[in-house]
Amino acid sequence: MERKKITIPDLLDKKKNKKPITALTAYDFPSASIIDEAGFDMIIIGDSVAMVVLGLENTLAVTVDDMLYHSKAVARGAKHAFLVGDMPFMSYQVSVEEALRNAGRFVKEGNCDAVKLEGASGVIKQVEAIVKAGIPVMGHIGLTPQNATQLGGFKVQGKTSASAKKIINDAILLEQAGCFSVILECVPDEISKIITSKVSIPTIGIGAGADCDGQVLVTHDVLGFYKKFTPKFAKKYADISLDIKNAVEQFKKEVEDKKFPGKENTFHIDEKELKKIKNPSL
Ligand code: KIV
């Protein structure tokens, strides 16, 4: 049966019917195609690309152009999942106008269905303007990696009543500003549960417990493809790094042992044609 493209009403229906929303990150064509074929509801082209693909220390250095490059590749592979492009650091903070222009690029050039940006009260005017322009916006609160330095590092947020209340209010503020969904990152599950019951938009958790309306993880964590660090909240379902290491080592050995290329990997010229080369007088 032909699968249809996931829409915002589909995501809202899932929340209403208590059916978990499934999401993963992707940054390239092959992984996006596989995730899409697996039937995920949503793919986020996350600025985590900076760390897990580009090998940077944090997410701050990636640009809109970098993100669009990856978004385009993901969009070529994903035909059904709802695609969310992550607006990078300083692409929306400076002014409403700049935020709007950059959000537009994610849709027009990056082929995304929506954009995601971090924060709440500090960027609420930007959220409102982007939504008003017709571009769906996903919020992102709790641990917001783009200002991890201000937060004292990559730490769980909302552990005191004051900071938990702020996260709850931020979620409500984002819903009122028109966000269609909100990511809750590294938030105690009791707080995610309160937020999920208070807002009518789907909450998508990453390190935010089982009571969110959906779950997202960074694909490289799920696959064991980022060896530097795996967060406590992530679950490794494969060890792709080991599989790749074994495969490339085997290739190297077969080249050294002259076992590769085999006959089946080799092209041949017709015997008659070969003779003409070896004996030009023929
Ligand atoms: O950059 C990222 O991978 C994210 C995840 C929370 C989806 O923002």
Side-chain angles (χ1 to χ4, degrees):
M1 197 179 70
E2 184 63 20
R3 265 184 68 219
K4 72 174 194 61
K5 172 88 184 167
I6 300 290
T7 62
I8 292 174
D10 293 329
L11 300 172
L12 293 170
D13 270 0
K14 281 206 149 186
K15 175 174 177 101
K16 203 171 117 208
N17 297 318
K18 298 200 178 312
K19 290 208 168 132
I21 295 167
T22 53
L24 270 174
T25 63
Y27 318 100
D28 58 33
F29 172 81
S31 60
S33 319
I34 295 168
I35 294 166
D36 199 53
E37 274 167 31
F40 276 78
D41 297 309
M42 188 187 289
I43 294 179
I44 301 178
I45 303 101
D47 62 358
S48 49
V49 68
M51 297 166 81
V52 301
V53 175
L54 305 177
L56 296 164
E57 284 302 313
N58 53 48
T59 60
L60 303 184
V62 279
T63 64
V64 172
D65 285 334
D66 294 332
M67 293 305 299
L68 294 180
Y69 177 81
H70 291 282
S71 301
K72 284 178 202 175
V74 168
R76 277 179 220 121
K79 299 294 166 217
H80 310 288
F82 191 81
L83 298 187
V84 181
D86 203 2
M87 295 189 72
F89 183 55
M90 281 300 143
S91 68
Y92 57 92
Q93 288 91 341
V94 176
S95 70
V96 170
E97 199 179 312
E98 213 169 294
L100 194 49
R101 190 163 292 122
N102 284 325
R105 291 189 69 196
F106 273 88
V107 176
K108 284 167 74 98
E109 298 173 48
N111 296 316
C112 290
D113 300 307
V115 295
K116 172 170 88 59
L117 47 85
E118 296 182 7
S121 53
V123 292
I124 215 69
K125 291 234 165 348
Q126 285 87 327
V127 172
E128 283 167 351
I130 298 169
V131 172
K132 199 166 160 212
I135 301 170
V137 177
M138 179 177 223
H140 183 159
I141 53 176
L143 171 59
T144 43
Q146 290 176 16
N147 71 326
T149 312
Q150 274 180 331
L151 299 174
F154 291 83
K155 287 184 178 159
V156 178
Q157 302 296 307
K159 286 179 86 171
T160 65
S161 58
S163 73
K165 273 187 202 160
K166 181 171 179 335
I167 298 172
I168 295 169
N169 289 335
D170 282 350
I172 295 168
L173 199 62
L174 288 170
E175 177 178 29
Q176 286 168 349
C179 283
F180 73 94
S181 175
V182 61
I183 294 262
L184 306 178
E185 179 163 353
C186 287
V187 172
D189 68 348
E190 297 84 351
I191 306 308
S192 308
K193 191 172 180 177
I194 295 173
I195 294 172
T196 302
S197 68
K198 273 191 187 287
V199 297
S200 58
I201 56 173
T203 57
I204 309 295
I206 175 159
D211 287 305
C212 297
D213 297 305
Q215 297 291 330
V216 63
L217 283 176
V218 168
T219 295
H220 285 51
D221 292 336
V222 170
L223 299 181
F225 198 16
Y226 183 62
K227 287 174 33 185
K228 225 165 152 183
F229 170 69
T230 306
K232 170 185 157 73
F233 59 74
K235 186 167 170 187
K236 202 165 136 181
Y237 290 82
D239 194 346
I240 275 292
S241 297
L242 187 64
D243 290 344
I244 292 175
K245 187 165 179 278
N246 287 340
V248 298
E249 277 176 0
Q250 197 178 335
F251 171 59
K252 180 172 174 281
K253 188 166 185 324
E254 288 194 8
V255 170
E256 287 167 349
D257 293 349
K258 301 191 173 184
K259 285 192 175 150
F260 180 89
K263 273 204 166 63
E264 66 281 15
N265 314 111
T266 307
F267 301 109
H268 297 284
I269 186 171
D270 194 73
E271 196 65 30
K272 264 194 337 211
E273 296 301 314
L274 187 61
K275 271 191 188 145
K276 285 185 210 163
I277 300 166
K278 288 186 173 168
N279 185 355
S281 63
L282 284 178

PDB file of all heavy atoms in Angstrom, residues 23-27 43-50 52 59 67 84 86 116 118 138 140 143 145-146 183-185 204-206 216-219 233, ligand 1:
ATOM      1  N   ALA A  23      10.369   9.590  15.856  1.00  0.00           N
ATOM      2  CA  ALA A  23      11.236  10.530  15.131  1.00  0.00           C
ATOM      3  C   ALA A  23      12.700  10.139  15.302  1.00  0.00           C
ATOM      4  O   ALA A  23      13.086   9.542  16.313  1.00  0.00           O
ATOM      5  CB  ALA A  23      11.006  11.949  15.638  1.00  0.00           C
ATOM      6  N   LEU A  24      13.481  10.453  14.287  1.00  0.00           N
ATOM      7  CA  LEU A  24      14.934  10.271  14.347  1.00  0.00           C
ATOM      8  C   LEU A  24      15.568  11.460  13.633  1.00  0.00           C
ATOM      9  O   LEU A  24      14.896  12.155  12.867  1.00  0.00           O
ATOM     10  CB  LEU A  24      15.357   8.983  13.631  1.00  0.00           C
ATOM     11  CG  LEU A  24      15.430   7.694  14.451  1.00  0.00           C
ATOM     12  CD1 LEU A  24      15.732   6.514  13.530  1.00  0.00           C
ATOM     13  CD2 LEU A  24      16.500   7.767  15.555  1.00  0.00           C
ATOM     14  N   THR A  25      16.843  11.648  13.850  1.00  0.00           N
ATOM     15  CA  THR A  25      17.556  12.666  13.068  1.00  0.00           C
ATOM     16  C   THR A  25      18.101  11.997  11.806  1.00  0.00           C
ATOM     17  O   THR A  25      18.303  10.780  11.774  1.00  0.00           O
ATOM     18  CB  THR A  25      18.749  13.260  13.843  1.00  0.00           C
ATOM     19  OG1 THR A  25      19.700  12.233  14.096  1.00  0.00           O
ATOM     20  CG2 THR A  25      18.293  13.900  15.157  1.00  0.00           C
ATOM     21  N   ALA A  26      18.336  12.812  10.781  1.00  0.00           N
ATOM     22  CA  ALA A  26      19.060  12.317   9.595  1.00  0.00           C
ATOM     23  C   ALA A  26      19.779  13.504   8.979  1.00  0.00           C
ATOM     24  O   ALA A  26      19.372  14.664   9.167  1.00  0.00           O
ATOM     25  CB  ALA A  26      18.122  11.685   8.590  1.00  0.00           C
ATOM     26  N   TYR A  27      20.851  13.184   8.257  1.00  0.00           N
ATOM     27  CA  TYR A  27      21.683  14.257   7.690  1.00  0.00           C
ATOM     28  C   TYR A  27      22.051  13.981   6.235  1.00  0.00           C
ATOM     29  O   TYR A  27      22.727  14.786   5.611  1.00  0.00           O
ATOM     30  CB  TYR A  27      22.979  14.398   8.508  1.00  0.00           C
ATOM     31  CG  TYR A  27      22.748  14.293  10.006  1.00  0.00           C
ATOM     32  CD1 TYR A  27      23.006  13.111  10.689  1.00  0.00           C
ATOM     33  CD2 TYR A  27      22.233  15.375  10.714  1.00  0.00           C
ATOM     34  CE1 TYR A  27      22.766  13.006  12.058  1.00  0.00           C
ATOM     35  CE2 TYR A  27      21.993  15.282  12.077  1.00  0.00           C
ATOM     36  CZ  TYR A  27      22.261  14.091  12.741  1.00  0.00           C
ATOM     37  OH  TYR A  27      22.012  13.999  14.088  1.00  0.00           O
ATOM     38  N   ILE A  43      11.356  13.211  10.600  1.00  0.00           N
ATOM     39  CA  ILE A  43      12.825  13.224  10.553  1.00  0.00           C
ATOM     40  C   ILE A  43      13.260  14.646  10.846  1.00  0.00           C
ATOM     41  O   ILE A  43      12.743  15.598  10.240  1.00  0.00           O
ATOM     42  CB  ILE A  43      13.359  12.765   9.173  1.00  0.00           C
ATOM     43  CG1 ILE A  43      13.019  11.285   8.930  1.00  0.00           C
ATOM     44  CG2 ILE A  43      14.866  12.991   9.082  1.00  0.00           C
ATOM     45  CD1 ILE A  43      13.490  10.735   7.587  1.00  0.00           C
ATOM     46  N   ILE A  44      14.185  14.788  11.789  1.00  0.00           N
ATOM     47  CA  ILE A  44      14.715  16.115  12.106  1.00  0.00           C
ATOM     48  C   ILE A  44      16.139  16.200  11.567  1.00  0.00           C
ATOM     49  O   ILE A  44      16.982  15.348  11.880  1.00  0.00           O
ATOM     50  CB  ILE A  44      14.688  16.379  13.632  1.00  0.00           C
ATOM     51  CG1 ILE A  44      13.247  16.270  14.154  1.00  0.00           C
ATOM     52  CG2 ILE A  44      15.299  17.751  13.955  1.00  0.00           C
ATOM     53  CD1 ILE A  44      13.086  16.468  15.644  1.00  0.00           C
ATOM     54  N   ILE A  45      16.364  17.205  10.718  1.00  0.00           N
ATOM     55  CA  ILE A  45      17.727  17.448  10.246  1.00  0.00           C
ATOM     56  C   ILE A  45      18.331  18.335  11.324  1.00  0.00           C
ATOM     57  O   ILE A  45      18.187  19.558  11.339  1.00  0.00           O
ATOM     58  CB  ILE A  45      17.739  18.130   8.855  1.00  0.00           C
ATOM     59  CG1 ILE A  45      16.967  17.275   7.837  1.00  0.00           C
ATOM     60  CG2 ILE A  45      19.188  18.339   8.368  1.00  0.00           C
ATOM     61  CD1 ILE A  45      15.583  17.735   7.542  1.00  0.00           C
ATOM     62  N   GLY A  46      18.946  17.694  12.317  1.00  0.00           N
ATOM     63  CA  GLY A  46      19.380  18.392  13.534  1.00  0.00           C
ATOM     64  C   GLY A  46      20.723  19.081  13.352  1.00  0.00           C
ATOM     65  O   GLY A  46      21.567  18.616  12.574  1.00  0.00           O
ATOM     66  N   ASP A  47      20.916  20.151  14.134  1.00  0.00           N
ATOM     67  CA  ASP A  47      22.240  20.782  14.090  1.00  0.00           C
ATOM     68  C   ASP A  47      23.269  19.913  14.820  1.00  0.00           C
ATOM     69  O   ASP A  47      24.464  20.212  14.834  1.00  0.00           O
ATOM     70  CB  ASP A  47      22.215  22.234  14.609  1.00  0.00           C
ATOM     71  CG  ASP A  47      21.804  22.350  16.063  1.00  0.00           C
ATOM     72  OD1 ASP A  47      21.490  21.317  16.690  1.00  0.00           O
ATOM     73  OD2 ASP A  47      21.797  23.487  16.583  1.00  0.00           O
ATOM     74  N   SER A  48      22.807  18.788  15.392  1.00  0.00           N
ATOM     75  CA  SER A  48      23.723  17.783  15.940  1.00  0.00           C
ATOM     76  C   SER A  48      24.648  17.259  14.844  1.00  0.00           C
ATOM     77  O   SER A  48      25.670  16.639  15.142  1.00  0.00           O
ATOM     78  CB  SER A  48      22.938  16.627  16.571  1.00  0.00           C
ATOM     79  OG  SER A  48      21.942  16.162  15.676  1.00  0.00           O
ATOM     80  N   VAL A  49      24.308  17.524  13.578  1.00  0.00           N
ATOM     81  CA  VAL A  49      25.204  17.191  12.456  1.00  0.00           C
ATOM     82  C   VAL A  49      26.615  17.726  12.728  1.00  0.00           C
ATOM     83  O   VAL A  49      27.609  17.100  12.346  1.00  0.00           O
ATOM     84  CB  VAL A  49      24.649  17.765  11.118  1.00  0.00           C
ATOM     85  CG1 VAL A  49      24.685  19.285  11.067  1.00  0.00           C
ATOM     86  CG2 VAL A  49      25.379  17.202   9.911  1.00  0.00           C
ATOM     87  N   ALA A  50      26.676  18.872  13.414  1.00  0.00           N
ATOM     88  CA  ALA A  50      27.971  19.503  13.714  1.00  0.00           C
ATOM     89  C   ALA A  50      28.874  18.543  14.482  1.00  0.00           C
ATOM     90  O   ALA A  50      30.069  18.434  14.203  1.00  0.00           O
ATOM     91  CB  ALA A  50      27.755  20.779  14.528  1.00  0.00           C
ATOM     92  N   VAL A  52      28.067  14.946  15.313  1.00  0.00           N
ATOM     93  CA  VAL A  52      28.123  13.523  14.957  1.00  0.00           C
ATOM     94  C   VAL A  52      28.587  13.263  13.523  1.00  0.00           C
ATOM     95  O   VAL A  52      29.005  12.157  13.197  1.00  0.00           O
ATOM     96  CB  VAL A  52      26.780  12.803  15.244  1.00  0.00           C
ATOM     97  CG1 VAL A  52      26.406  12.897  16.706  1.00  0.00           C
ATOM     98  CG2 VAL A  52      25.639  13.304  14.374  1.00  0.00           C
ATOM     99  N   THR A  59      27.436  22.417  18.728  1.00  0.00           N
ATOM    100  CA  THR A  59      26.627  22.664  17.527  1.00  0.00           C
ATOM    101  C   THR A  59      26.753  24.095  16.981  1.00  0.00           C
ATOM    102  O   THR A  59      26.109  24.439  15.994  1.00  0.00           O
ATOM    103  CB  THR A  59      25.128  22.415  17.846  1.00  0.00           C
ATOM    104  OG1 THR A  59      24.727  23.310  18.888  1.00  0.00           O
ATOM    105  CG2 THR A  59      24.877  20.996  18.286  1.00  0.00           C
ATOM    106  N   MET A  67      23.281  23.562   6.941  1.00  0.00           N
ATOM    107  CA  MET A  67      22.034  22.856   7.272  1.00  0.00           C
ATOM    108  C   MET A  67      21.206  22.592   6.010  1.00  0.00           C
ATOM    109  O   MET A  67      20.580  21.538   5.886  1.00  0.00           O
ATOM    110  CB  MET A  67      21.216  23.656   8.291  1.00  0.00           C
ATOM    111  CG  MET A  67      21.850  23.768   9.676  1.00  0.00           C
ATOM    112  SD  MET A  67      22.252  22.176  10.430  1.00  0.00           S
ATOM    113  CE  MET A  67      20.655  21.411  10.532  1.00  0.00           C
ATOM    114  N   VAL A  84      11.698  18.230   9.524  1.00  0.00           N
ATOM    115  CA  VAL A  84      11.921  19.437  10.327  1.00  0.00           C
ATOM    116  C   VAL A  84      13.387  19.862  10.210  1.00  0.00           C
ATOM    117  O   VAL A  84      14.284  19.081  10.541  1.00  0.00           O
ATOM    118  CB  VAL A  84      11.581  19.188  11.817  1.00  0.00           C
ATOM    119  CG1 VAL A  84      11.784  20.455  12.639  1.00  0.00           C
ATOM    120  CG2 VAL A  84      10.151  18.681  11.968  1.00  0.00           C
ATOM    121  N   ASP A  86      16.486  22.121  11.418  1.00  0.00           N
ATOM    122  CA  ASP A  86      16.906  22.752  12.678  1.00  0.00           C
ATOM    123  C   ASP A  86      17.626  24.069  12.364  1.00  0.00           C
ATOM    124  O   ASP A  86      18.673  24.058  11.695  1.00  0.00           O
ATOM    125  CB  ASP A  86      17.869  21.775  13.372  1.00  0.00           C
ATOM    126  CG  ASP A  86      17.954  21.996  14.859  1.00  0.00           C
ATOM    127  OD1 ASP A  86      17.247  22.886  15.377  1.00  0.00           O
ATOM    128  OD2 ASP A  86      18.727  21.259  15.503  1.00  0.00           O
ATOM    129  N   LYS A 116      12.727  24.155  13.275  1.00  0.00           N
ATOM    130  CA  LYS A 116      12.795  24.039  14.732  1.00  0.00           C
ATOM    131  C   LYS A 116      13.756  25.099  15.236  1.00  0.00           C
ATOM    132  O   LYS A 116      14.793  25.335  14.616  1.00  0.00           O
ATOM    133  CB  LYS A 116      13.289  22.647  15.117  1.00  0.00           C
ATOM    134  CG  LYS A 116      13.575  22.492  16.602  1.00  0.00           C
ATOM    135  CD  LYS A 116      13.823  21.051  16.978  1.00  0.00           C
ATOM    136  CE  LYS A 116      15.255  20.594  16.864  1.00  0.00           C
ATOM    137  NZ  LYS A 116      16.216  21.347  17.687  1.00  0.00           N
ATOM    138  N   GLU A 118      15.419  26.822  19.094  1.00  0.00           N
ATOM    139  CA  GLU A 118      15.568  26.606  20.537  1.00  0.00           C
ATOM    140  C   GLU A 118      15.153  27.841  21.323  1.00  0.00           C
ATOM    141  O   GLU A 118      15.401  28.972  20.895  1.00  0.00           O
ATOM    142  CB  GLU A 118      17.034  26.266  20.858  1.00  0.00           C
ATOM    143  CG  GLU A 118      17.492  24.963  20.223  1.00  0.00           C
ATOM    144  CD  GLU A 118      18.936  24.601  20.577  1.00  0.00           C
ATOM    145  OE1 GLU A 118      19.550  25.288  21.432  1.00  0.00           O
ATOM    146  OE2 GLU A 118      19.446  23.640  19.984  1.00  0.00           O
ATOM    147  N   MET A 138       8.562  24.136  15.228  1.00  0.00           N
ATOM    148  CA  MET A 138       8.665  23.229  16.366  1.00  0.00           C
ATOM    149  C   MET A 138       9.516  23.927  17.417  1.00  0.00           C
ATOM    150  O   MET A 138      10.582  24.464  17.088  1.00  0.00           O
ATOM    151  CB  MET A 138       9.351  21.947  15.882  1.00  0.00           C
ATOM    152  CG  MET A 138       9.564  20.917  16.957  1.00  0.00           C
ATOM    153  SD  MET A 138      10.291  19.430  16.224  1.00  0.00           S
ATOM    154  CE  MET A 138       9.312  18.197  17.067  1.00  0.00           C
ATOM    155  N   HIS A 140      11.785  23.990  21.083  1.00  0.00           N
ATOM    156  CA  HIS A 140      12.790  23.097  21.691  1.00  0.00           C
ATOM    157  C   HIS A 140      13.186  23.729  23.024  1.00  0.00           C
ATOM    158  O   HIS A 140      13.806  24.801  23.036  1.00  0.00           O
ATOM    159  CB  HIS A 140      13.994  22.979  20.739  1.00  0.00           C
ATOM    160  CG  HIS A 140      15.069  22.046  21.207  1.00  0.00           C
ATOM    161  ND1 HIS A 140      15.989  21.497  20.344  1.00  0.00           N
ATOM    162  CD2 HIS A 140      15.392  21.551  22.429  1.00  0.00           C
ATOM    163  CE1 HIS A 140      16.825  20.719  21.003  1.00  0.00           C
ATOM    164  NE2 HIS A 140      16.480  20.747  22.290  1.00  0.00           N
ATOM    165  N   LEU A 143      17.011  21.300  27.936  1.00  0.00           N
ATOM    166  CA  LEU A 143      18.406  21.514  27.541  1.00  0.00           C
ATOM    167  C   LEU A 143      18.423  21.989  26.091  1.00  0.00           C
ATOM    168  O   LEU A 143      17.975  21.274  25.185  1.00  0.00           O
ATOM    169  CB  LEU A 143      19.213  20.219  27.683  1.00  0.00           C
ATOM    170  CG  LEU A 143      20.628  20.258  27.090  1.00  0.00           C
ATOM    171  CD1 LEU A 143      21.486  21.352  27.719  1.00  0.00           C
ATOM    172  CD2 LEU A 143      21.316  18.920  27.234  1.00  0.00           C
ATOM    173  N   PRO A 145      20.994  22.948  23.438  1.00  0.00           N
ATOM    174  CA  PRO A 145      22.452  22.871  23.246  1.00  0.00           C
ATOM    175  C   PRO A 145      23.093  24.160  22.718  1.00  0.00           C
ATOM    176  O   PRO A 145      24.264  24.411  22.980  1.00  0.00           O
ATOM    177  CB  PRO A 145      22.622  21.722  22.252  1.00  0.00           C
ATOM    178  CG  PRO A 145      21.416  20.870  22.470  1.00  0.00           C
ATOM    179  CD  PRO A 145      20.299  21.813  22.796  1.00  0.00           C
ATOM    180  N   GLN A 146      22.318  24.984  21.987  1.00  0.00           N
ATOM    181  CA  GLN A 146      22.932  26.214  21.453  1.00  0.00           C
ATOM    182  C   GLN A 146      23.301  27.195  22.567  1.00  0.00           C
ATOM    183  O   GLN A 146      24.106  28.095  22.340  1.00  0.00           O
ATOM    184  CB  GLN A 146      22.000  26.886  20.431  1.00  0.00           C
ATOM    185  CG  GLN A 146      21.887  26.084  19.137  1.00  0.00           C
ATOM    186  CD  GLN A 146      20.897  26.667  18.144  1.00  0.00           C
ATOM    187  OE1 GLN A 146      20.484  27.816  18.247  1.00  0.00           O
ATOM    188  NE2 GLN A 146      20.502  25.872  17.165  1.00  0.00           N
ATOM    189  N   ILE A 183       9.934  20.047  21.332  1.00  0.00           N
ATOM    190  CA  ILE A 183      10.919  19.066  21.820  1.00  0.00           C
ATOM    191  C   ILE A 183      11.198  19.374  23.288  1.00  0.00           C
ATOM    192  O   ILE A 183      11.423  20.541  23.654  1.00  0.00           O
ATOM    193  CB  ILE A 183      12.262  19.225  21.053  1.00  0.00           C
ATOM    194  CG1 ILE A 183      12.106  18.865  19.582  1.00  0.00           C
ATOM    195  CG2 ILE A 183      13.385  18.443  21.725  1.00  0.00           C
ATOM    196  CD1 ILE A 183      12.529  17.490  19.185  1.00  0.00           C
ATOM    197  N   LEU A 184      11.212  18.327  24.119  1.00  0.00           N
ATOM    198  CA  LEU A 184      11.633  18.466  25.515  1.00  0.00           C
ATOM    199  C   LEU A 184      12.932  17.688  25.655  1.00  0.00           C
ATOM    200  O   LEU A 184      12.939  16.462  25.509  1.00  0.00           O
ATOM    201  CB  LEU A 184      10.583  17.890  26.466  1.00  0.00           C
ATOM    202  CG  LEU A 184       9.141  18.415  26.325  1.00  0.00           C
ATOM    203  CD1 LEU A 184       8.223  17.715  27.314  1.00  0.00           C
ATOM    204  CD2 LEU A 184       9.095  19.924  26.520  1.00  0.00           C
ATOM    205  N   GLU A 185      14.029  18.400  25.894  1.00  0.00           N
ATOM    206  CA  GLU A 185      15.331  17.709  25.975  1.00  0.00           C
ATOM    207  C   GLU A 185      15.858  17.716  27.409  1.00  0.00           C
ATOM    208  O   GLU A 185      15.932  18.778  28.056  1.00  0.00           O
ATOM    209  CB  GLU A 185      16.351  18.373  25.021  1.00  0.00           C
ATOM    210  CG  GLU A 185      17.719  17.688  25.102  1.00  0.00           C
ATOM    211  CD  GLU A 185      18.650  17.980  23.936  1.00  0.00           C
ATOM    212  OE1 GLU A 185      18.223  18.619  22.950  1.00  0.00           O
ATOM    213  OE2 GLU A 185      19.821  17.546  24.021  1.00  0.00           O
ATOM    214  N   ILE A 204       7.692  16.015  22.043  1.00  0.00           N
ATOM    215  CA  ILE A 204       8.607  14.964  21.561  1.00  0.00           C
ATOM    216  C   ILE A 204       9.820  14.984  22.499  1.00  0.00           C
ATOM    217  O   ILE A 204      10.519  15.989  22.601  1.00  0.00           O
ATOM    218  CB  ILE A 204       9.069  15.230  20.106  1.00  0.00           C
ATOM    219  CG1 ILE A 204       7.876  15.514  19.159  1.00  0.00           C
ATOM    220  CG2 ILE A 204       9.908  14.064  19.591  1.00  0.00           C
ATOM    221  CD1 ILE A 204       6.914  14.379  18.938  1.00  0.00           C
ATOM    222  N   GLY A 205      10.028  13.880  23.176  1.00  0.00           N
ATOM    223  CA  GLY A 205      11.079  13.842  24.191  1.00  0.00           C
ATOM    224  C   GLY A 205      12.388  13.292  23.676  1.00  0.00           C
ATOM    225  O   GLY A 205      12.429  12.398  22.828  1.00  0.00           O
ATOM    226  N   ILE A 206      13.468  13.866  24.216  1.00  0.00           N
ATOM    227  CA  ILE A 206      14.812  13.285  24.032  1.00  0.00           C
ATOM    228  C   ILE A 206      15.443  13.394  25.422  1.00  0.00           C
ATOM    229  O   ILE A 206      15.779  14.481  25.877  1.00  0.00           O
ATOM    230  CB  ILE A 206      15.621  13.971  22.892  1.00  0.00           C
ATOM    231  CG1 ILE A 206      17.050  13.427  22.818  1.00  0.00           C
ATOM    232  CG2 ILE A 206      15.596  15.490  22.953  1.00  0.00           C
ATOM    233  CD1 ILE A 206      17.754  13.646  21.484  1.00  0.00           C
ATOM    234  N   VAL A 216      12.356  11.096  20.145  1.00  0.00           N
ATOM    235  CA  VAL A 216      13.360  11.272  19.096  1.00  0.00           C
ATOM    236  C   VAL A 216      14.722  10.930  19.689  1.00  0.00           C
ATOM    237  O   VAL A 216      14.952  11.136  20.888  1.00  0.00           O
ATOM    238  CB  VAL A 216      13.361  12.714  18.525  1.00  0.00           C
ATOM    239  CG1 VAL A 216      13.736  13.769  19.554  1.00  0.00           C
ATOM    240  CG2 VAL A 216      14.280  12.827  17.306  1.00  0.00           C
ATOM    241  N   LEU A 217      15.588  10.376  18.875  1.00  0.00           N
ATOM    242  CA  LEU A 217      16.989  10.205  19.272  1.00  0.00           C
ATOM    243  C   LEU A 217      17.867  10.609  18.096  1.00  0.00           C
ATOM    244  O   LEU A 217      17.393  10.683  16.948  1.00  0.00           O
ATOM    245  CB  LEU A 217      17.290   8.749  19.652  1.00  0.00           C
ATOM    246  CG  LEU A 217      16.814   8.265  21.044  1.00  0.00           C
ATOM    247  CD1 LEU A 217      17.116   6.774  21.215  1.00  0.00           C
ATOM    248  CD2 LEU A 217      17.476   9.053  22.191  1.00  0.00           C
ATOM    249  N   VAL A 218      19.117  10.875  18.387  1.00  0.00           N
ATOM    250  CA  VAL A 218      20.097  11.143  17.332  1.00  0.00           C
ATOM    251  C   VAL A 218      20.464   9.782  16.718  1.00  0.00           C
ATOM    252  O   VAL A 218      20.862   8.855  17.438  1.00  0.00           O
ATOM    253  CB  VAL A 218      21.331  11.867  17.923  1.00  0.00           C
ATOM    254  CG1 VAL A 218      22.479  11.909  16.930  1.00  0.00           C
ATOM    255  CG2 VAL A 218      20.939  13.286  18.367  1.00  0.00           C
ATOM    256  N   THR A 219      20.272   9.664  15.415  1.00  0.00           N
ATOM    257  CA  THR A 219      20.459   8.371  14.736  1.00  0.00           C
ATOM    258  C   THR A 219      21.839   7.764  14.999  1.00  0.00           C
ATOM    259  O   THR A 219      21.964   6.550  15.188  1.00  0.00           O
ATOM    260  CB  THR A 219      20.202   8.558  13.220  1.00  0.00           C
ATOM    261  OG1 THR A 219      18.820   8.896  13.081  1.00  0.00           O
ATOM    262  CG2 THR A 219      20.496   7.313  12.423  1.00  0.00           C
ATOM    263  N   PHE A 233      20.557   9.015  28.156  1.00  0.00           N
ATOM    264  CA  PHE A 233      19.171   8.803  27.727  1.00  0.00           C
ATOM    265  C   PHE A 233      19.055   8.030  26.410  1.00  0.00           C
ATOM    266  O   PHE A 233      17.978   7.580  26.032  1.00  0.00           O
ATOM    267  CB  PHE A 233      18.416  10.130  27.611  1.00  0.00           C
ATOM    268  CG  PHE A 233      19.030  11.116  26.640  1.00  0.00           C
ATOM    269  CD1 PHE A 233      18.916  10.926  25.268  1.00  0.00           C
ATOM    270  CD2 PHE A 233      19.716  12.228  27.098  1.00  0.00           C
ATOM    271  CE1 PHE A 233      19.481  11.827  24.373  1.00  0.00           C
ATOM    272  CE2 PHE A 233      20.275  13.137  26.213  1.00  0.00           C
ATOM    273  CZ  PHE A 233      20.161  12.931  24.839  1.00  0.00           C
TER     274      PHE A 233
HETATM  275  O1  KIV B   1      20.124  18.666  16.725  1.00  0.00           O
HETATM  276  C1  KIV B   1      19.439  17.692  17.073  1.00  0.00           C
HETATM  277  O2  KIV B   1      19.726  16.535  16.775  1.00  0.00           O
HETATM  278  C2  KIV B   1      18.278  17.965  17.900  1.00  0.00           C
HETATM  279  C3  KIV B   1      17.508  16.791  18.426  1.00  0.00           C
HETATM  280  C4  KIV B   1      16.828  17.143  19.695  1.00  0.00           C
HETATM  281  C5  KIV B   1      16.503  16.331  17.456  1.00  0.00           C
HETATM  282  O3  KIV B   1      17.950  19.086  18.121  1.00  0.00           O
END
